[in-house]
Amino acid sequence: MRILILGGTGEARELAAALTAAGVDVLSSLAGRVRRPRLPDGPVRTGGFGGAAGLTDFLRAEAITGVVDATHPFAAAISANATEAAEAAGVPLLVLRRPPWPADPAWESVPDIVVAAAAVRGWPGESVFLTTGRRDLGAFAADDGHRFLVRAVDPPDPGGPAPPRMTLLLDRGPYTVAGESALMREHGIGLLVTKNSGGPMTAAKLQAARDLAVRVVMVERPPLPPLPPLPPGGSTAATVAEAVSWVSAGIQPAGG
Ligand code: NAP
C-alpha cells in the first residue's frame, strides 16, 4: 500500500499526519504555488506532474496503490487530472472535500469570479473585501469605482492585473470573528467577495459580515469531475476520518 495525497489544504495535512502516524507509506504532493507552504508530515514532492498523462506515469513509476485527491475545492484542473490518471493507471481514487458553507439567503451566490466582478461593479458602495486569492485579481482590474482590501497568502505577481485602488494584506488564517469584524470596520467594508471554500479556518468573516450587515458575494464551487467507474473506481469523503477509513479498508485483507 502506497498512498499519494494531492494536497495544499489543511485536510490533506491532517490526513498525512494520521496516516504517517499509523505507519502507512504516504507521499504528499504540493503544486508549489505558495512561497512558504505549511508542510505535511512525511515525504513531500512539489510541482506539477505534466497533466493527466504525467500523473498517470507518476502513479506507475512510484508504484502508487491509492490516490486521495485532497486538493482545494476550487482546484478543478488537478482534480480532473487525478480522475483521468487514476482510471488510466487502474488505481483507486478517493476525493476528500470538506462540505461547502451552508447557503445563506442573504448571500448573492455567483457561479464564477467573472460574475462576481460584475456584481461588484454594479454595487453602489465604496469598499470591498476580496478574499478570492491573488490569481483572481485580474477579474477586478477594470474596476476603478471601488476600493479593494485584498487579503492573500502571497503577494500578486508584480505588474500583473489587479484593481487600481487596492490595499494588500498578507495573511493566511485561521481567523476569529472579533478579528474579522475589527478589520472590516477599520476599512469601512460594505461588501465581501469570497469563494465557498467551506471549513472553519476562514469562516469567521461570514459571521462578521452578518453582524455588520456587510453584503456577501459568494463564488460557488466548480463541479467535481465524474469519478472513475468501478473497478477500481472512485469515491468521495467529507472528513479526514472517512478518508482514514477508506485507506484502512484498503490495507485490510479481503474479508478482514
Ligand atoms: P489547479 O488549477 O487545479 O491546478 C493547476 C495545475 O497545478 C495542475 O494541472 C497541476 O499541474 C498543478 N497542481 C495543482 N495541485 C497540485 C498538487 N497538489 N500537486 C502537484 N501539482 C498540482 O490548482 P490551483 O487552483 O492552482 O491550486 C494549486 C494548489 O493550491 C492545489 O494543491 C490546491 O489544493 C491549493 N489551493 C488552491 C486554492 C484555490 O482557491 N484554487 C486555495 C487554497 C489552496 P500539472 O498539470 O502539471 O500536473
Side-chain angles (χ1 to χ4, degrees):
M1 158 108 358
R2 180 160 159 76
I3 302 293
L4 176 67
I5 300 175
L6 298 170
T9 59
E11 288 80 4
R13 286 191 297 277
E14 282 175 42
L15 181 63
L19 295 181
T20 304
V24 178
D25 183 6
V26 168
L27 175 60
S28 292
S29 175
L30 300 178
R33 298 264 194 282
V34 178
R35 284 199 300 195
R36 284 188 302 277
R38 291 177 173 140
L39 291 174
D41 290 355
V44 179
R45 49 93 45 215
T46 301
F49 298 97
L55 181 52
T56 307
D57 292 346
F58 184 89
L59 296 179
R60 292 188 176 126
E62 290 285 328
I64 300 295
T65 59
V67 177
V68 180
D69 170 12
T71 56
H72 191 270
F74 282 82
I78 188 67
S79 290
N81 292 349
T83 302
E84 196 178 325
E87 187 166 13
V91 173
L93 171 72
L94 179 74
V95 181
L96 169 57
R97 283 286 180 284
R98 67 181 88 128
W101 292 311
D104 181 327
W107 297 344
E108 179 177 354
S109 288
V110 296
D112 57 41
I113 200 73
V114 173
V115 182
V120 173
R121 267 199 305 280
W123 179 61
E126 171 76 4
S127 293
V128 181
F129 186 19
L130 201 52
T131 66
T132 46
R134 67 189 163 102
R135 286 182 295 138
D136 283 329
L137 289 178
F140 302 89
D143 189 337
D144 55 6
H146 296 99
R147 283 193 289 126
F148 288 87
L149 172 64
V150 172
R151 184 167 66 194
V153 176
D154 283 324
D157 294 337
R165 300 163 67 205
M166 173 173 86
T167 301
L168 183 64
L169 179 61
L170 298 181
D171 205 349
R172 72 188 335 172
Y175 304 104
T176 63
V177 176
E180 297 290 60
S181 296
L183 183 70
M184 289 191 208
R185 275 205 195 91
E186 183 193 340
H187 291 269
I189 297 297
L191 175 66
L192 164 69
V193 185
T194 178
K195 292 173 176 169
N196 197 339
S197 301
M201 292 261 293
T202 57
K205 62 191 167 193
L206 301 173
Q207 186 57 49
R210 270 180 214 113
D211 295 346
L212 300 175
V214 164
R215 280 177 64 94
V216 175
V217 172
M218 181 64 71
V219 183
E220 297 300 346
R221 297 176 171 195
L224 273 182
L227 290 170
L230 296 168
S235 43
T236 58
T239 65
V240 172
E242 285 173 43
V244 170
S245 300
W246 182 84
V247 172
S248 306
I251 294 171
Q252 303 298 324

